[in-house]
Amino acid sequence: MSQREHETGDPIAGDFLENLVAAMRRHSAGVFEFENDDTFLSVVLEAESPDISPNTRPHTDDAPSEAELDIVVKSPELGLFTGAGKSIGDSVLRDDVIGFVCIGPLRLAIRAPTDGLITRELARDGTPIGYQEAVFSIRPVIAS
Amino acid sequence: MPDIRTVLIANRGEIALRIVRACKLLGLRTVGVYSEADSGLAHLRLVDHAICIGPAAATNSYLDGERILRAAALTTTDAIHPGYGFLSENADFAEAVERAGLILIGPASSVMRLMGDKISARRAMKANGVPCLPGSDAALPLDPDEIRTICDAIGYPLIVKAAGGGGGRGMRVVMKADELLDAVESARKEAALAFGNPDVYVERFLREPRHVEIQILADAHGNAVWLGARDCSVQRRHQKLIEEAPPPGIPEHRISDLGLACANAAARIGYTGAGTFEFLYEDGNFNFIEMNTRLQVEHPVTEMTSGVDIVREQIMIATGASLSFTQADVRTNGHALECRINAEDPETFMPAPGTIKKWRAPGGPGVRVDTHIHDGYTIPPHYDSLIAKLIVHGSDRNDAIRRMSTALEELQIDGVPTTASRHKRLLDDPDFRAGVFTVHTLDRRRTREQP
């Protein structure tokens, strides 16, 4: 887990963060944000940790968990991220536009690399996004 | 007065960490930028906002001014600290920062351009009473006869240098007149390739000079001070290895005359921020070679002897503040040494990137370590090999050498070869102990040692 941005005048009390992460895991939420007059808190559960993915289940050496099959979609450039109306649980087709990265007047489309379901939103609409920073994770649809 | 709330650190490694610490001291918000190869850098844990700006290659990340400015715009940055290397002396970048309405923590782009061109810098220094070597006061002409006339008047041996250069590139030593034209031609070609500017000039070549430099600070209100001199003569292939303050064996009054001349020149050319005037010292004479219009790697030795936090002062000056002290307040004491710990083969100085398996820093009174490394840190192959600066302060030079030797014994870096073992030998070297190392000593010895 990473606390990507934390600007607050008040320290986070006691076990607040621990409970928050547990709740996010329970509800398959990849991102939590809170903002009021003087506080902005953003908590992102990163893609690299298989145990924080939704639908986590025990797995064996020869059978990857569903979370491990997730494909992390990264921003192709440094810019301002804007969403394209996609959120967790939405199904997407390969090459669907799932967001944009804006560089001045340019708007680069971020496209789904595969057919699948969006499992995590890792970037907040209207915020800076780094080069190759994770934006979404998508669980591919596996043909039966 | 410019209002600075957020500083973007356009650099990496130990200096990025050093700058973040200074910003925090001043209560400033910080933005760290990094390349794809650098997501594990230590300073990124301390900044308020970290953002990846591009791939590992420096040309597409730390050297890409457009990306740095884009990151600054995205993160509502007010000021950019360029550190050293990368874009820190790039006048075009400084101008772009100004055009973007941001503050570069350093001099104005016009002053950076003046001092970046070695010919105009030399002219400006001569005009302001800073001692320079006999040489040409303009770029060499194209006509071979005119070149010969100019160079014969200066006398041999001489050195051909690139106007836009530095770091040894575009330089040729000419021992005799019949070598001149070939040297000028090849230096021009190298200069055009390296700096996009084929202009070259000539100066008298010194055979056994020491490298002595003066650290200055200047504000935007015409105040300038010098904080002491450093000796950086222990070099290999124009890259410094050991720096110390003050330079051993040079009378104090000579250094203070030079320091005063540098501070006055800085004020007269409208310089602002931290800067360094570099000189070659031979036969009791100082000869200006160039000005570094940025923070130096070796600034800590001056901080140790003067007690001035140079990075903090740099930032304060960028806010428009006047210097908080005058020359009369500057007091230096004791002796400081810095050893550059590079991830390199200690004999060949070939870079040796890899993973640090174990890192144990030395400590004790008068010992300072500026580094970004930690256990498990992987040194990427894309950037320079400096991984730590070991700095000591003692009551005098012998005390400082003893403290450095002890600190080097205590230092432990497993996983990659480093220059630490070379430093131990250098500290015991009779010529180093006697303070008579010249900028050529180490390279000459290495040439002799090669089969």
Side-chain angles (χ1 to χ4, degrees):
Chain A
M1 187 209 77
S2 76
Q3 187 180 327
R4 291 196 333 174
E5 191 154 332
H6 168 216
E7 294 174 1
T8 174
D10 303 312
I12 296 171
D15 52 2
F16 169 81
L17 208 52
E18 212 169 283
N19 292 338
L20 172 63
V21 171
M24 288 171 71
R25 284 178 176 153
R26 261 197 321 278
H27 296 286
S28 306
V31 179
F32 171 84
E33 284 163 0
F34 170 76
E35 193 166 5
N36 66 13
D37 289 345
D38 57 1
T39 302
F40 171 63
L41 172 69
S42 174
V43 178
V44 178
L45 304 185
E46 284 183 343
E48 285 74 16
S49 308
D51 64 337
I52 60 173
S53 178
N55 305 319
T56 297
R57 65 184 185 190
H59 63 280
T60 61
D61 287 345
D62 53 353
S65 71
E66 286 181 7
E68 284 172 328
L69 297 174
D70 281 3
I71 293 173
V72 175
V73 184
K74 295 179 176 178
S75 170
E77 256 305 340
L78 164 70
L80 196 72
F81 173 74
T82 58
K86 300 293 183 189
S87 51
I88 293 172
D90 286 356
S91 60
V92 292
L93 296 174
R94 182 189 168 93
D95 287 337
D96 275 358
V97 174
I98 54 176
F100 299 94
V101 57
C102 303
I103 307 157
L106 296 176
R107 224 159 67 121
L108 296 181
I110 302 172
R111 294 177 184 278
T114 180
D115 297 353
L117 280 178
I118 292 182
T119 52
R120 274 175 296 164
E121 296 174 67
L122 300 167
R124 195 163 64 103
D125 197 46
T127 58
I129 187 92
Y131 174 80
Q132 292 295 300
E133 194 176 323
V135 183
F136 288 104
S137 69
I138 295 177
R139 183 155 308 155
V141 173
I142 300 166
S144 55
Chain B
M1 181 177 286
D3 188 14
I4 296 181
R5 293 179 187 180
T6 304
V7 176
L8 182 147
I9 296 113
N11 218 297
R12 62 179 303 282
E14 66 84 20
I15 196 62
L17 188 56
R18 171 75 185 86
I19 296 164
V20 170
R21 286 173 176 153
C23 289
K24 286 191 170 291
L25 203 61
L26 292 165
L28 298 171
R29 188 173 174 273
T30 48
V31 175
V33 296
Y34 61 98
S35 78
E36 244 185 321
D38 265 349
S39 60
L41 284 178
H43 77 287
L44 299 176
R45 290 183 293 111
L46 301 181
V47 295
D48 296 284
H49 193 131
I51 193 159
C52 181
I53 53 169
T59 46
N60 296 322
S61 50
Y62 303 108
L63 281 170
D64 187 337
E66 191 277 327
R67 282 174 185 272
I68 301 285
L69 285 171
R70 200 192 312 164
L74 287 165
T75 54
T76 58
T77 286
D78 308 303
I80 296 176
H81 197 307
Y84 53 67
F86 296 125
L87 293 167
S88 62
E89 290 184 286
N90 184 319
D92 290 339
F93 175 68
E95 196 178 328
V97 172
E98 291 163 1
R99 276 203 309 268
L102 303 175
I103 296 161
L104 184 81
I105 299 179
S109 62
S110 55
V111 178
M112 198 183 281
R113 209 176 288 288
L114 172 80
M115 300 311 283
D117 182 301
K118 306 299 179 240
I119 296 171
S120 60
R122 189 181 141 79
R123 215 179 287 144
M125 292 302 99
K126 274 180 85 173
N128 285 290
V130 174
C132 296
L133 281 166
S136 58
D137 287 329
L140 285 182
L142 294 174
D143 181 71
D145 290 336
E146 285 183 53
I147 295 174
R148 276 195 208 97
T149 306
I150 292 167
C151 294
D152 289 350
I154 294 164
Y156 298 89
L158 52 76
I159 185 165
V160 184
K161 291 181 173 180
R169 286 180 298 175
M171 281 189 192
R172 294 289 183 281
V173 176
V174 181
M175 301 304 289
K176 301 185 300 255
D178 60 3
E179 299 167 358
L180 178 65
L181 296 180
D182 284 348
V184 170
E185 189 53 31
S186 64
R188 274 186 176 139
K189 280 183 185 158
E190 193 174 316
L193 278 175
F195 313 112
N197 175 3
D199 286 349
V200 295
Y201 66 108
V202 289
E203 281 179 344
R204 174 81 52 77
F205 176 69
L206 301 180
R207 290 169 191 269
E208 293 297 339
R210 285 167 59 186
H211 176 116
V212 173
E213 59 187 32
I214 300 285
Q215 174 73 59
I216 62 103
L217 280 172
D219 67 23
H221 309 281
N223 306 305
V225 295
W226 66 283
L227 299 177
R230 298 183 286 256
D231 186 316
C232 314
S233 301
V234 182
Q235 305 181 357
R236 40 88 172 137
R237 295 193 299 266
H238 302 282
Q239 300 297 313
K240 297 163 187 170
L241 270 179
I242 298 178
E243 298 99 342
E244 60 184 303
I250 302 179
E252 256 179 60
H253 71 275
R254 296 292 320 280
I255 297 277
S256 66
D257 288 348
L258 185 69
L260 195 59
C262 291
N264 288 339
R268 286 196 201 114
I269 63 171
Y271 192 87
T272 51
T276 299
F277 291 77
E278 295 192 333
F279 296 87
L280 293 179
Y281 177 77
E282 189 177 271
D283 298 330
N285 296 313
F286 296 104
N287 303 281
F288 173 79
I289 43 174
E290 65 179 11
M291 182 180 192
N292 293 138
T293 54
R294 55 168 166 84
L295 190 65
Q296 297 273 98
V297 174
E298 60 271 25
H299 75 275
V301 292
T302 302
E303 291 186 325
M304 298 292 262
T305 50
S306 69
V308 174
D309 181 336
I310 293 172
V311 184
R312 194 184 75 127
E313 291 300 322
Q314 245 193 325
I315 299 168
M316 289 300 295
I317 289 168
T319 67
S322 296
L323 281 171
S324 58
F325 54 90
T326 66
Q327 191 64 57
D329 299 321
V330 178
R331 294 273 183 277
T332 58
N333 74 82
H335 198 96
L337 283 171
E338 174 181 280
C339 286
R340 296 192 190 191
I341 310 297
N342 299 332
E344 290 174 356
D345 181 296
E347 304 307 319
T348 63
F349 298 119
M350 288 295 286
T355 299
I356 309 279
K357 292 198 170 73
K358 186 155 207 141
W359 155 246
R360 194 163 288 162
V367 177
R368 165 177 166 180
V369 182
D370 283 13
T371 185
H372 59 291
I373 65 169
H374 50 80
D375 284 353
Y377 174 73
T378 296
I379 303 155
H382 314 282
Y383 317 109
D384 78 30
S385 53
L386 179 71
I387 54 170
K389 299 186 313 203
L390 178 53
I391 309 119
V392 299
H393 183 244
S395 56
D396 57 24
R397 190 167 189 260
N398 285 337
D399 185 40
I401 291 173
R402 271 195 301 273
R403 284 176 196 273
M404 182 61 88
S405 297
T406 309
L408 283 166
E409 285 297 328
E410 194 182 331
L411 174 78
Q412 187 183 357
I413 302 175
D414 294 345
V416 292
T418 76
T419 45
S421 58
R422 188 71 179 228
H423 285 305
K424 286 183 200 168
R425 276 185 285 148
L426 280 167
L427 293 181
D428 288 336
D429 187 288
D431 285 344
F432 178 78
R433 291 280 177 144
V436 296
F437 244 75
T438 75
V439 297
H440 302 307
T441 304
L442 206 50
D443 285 335
R444 202 162 286 148
R445 286 184 186 176
R446 289 184 59 230
T447 306
R448 277 205 302 265
E449 286 161 10
Q450 281 164 1

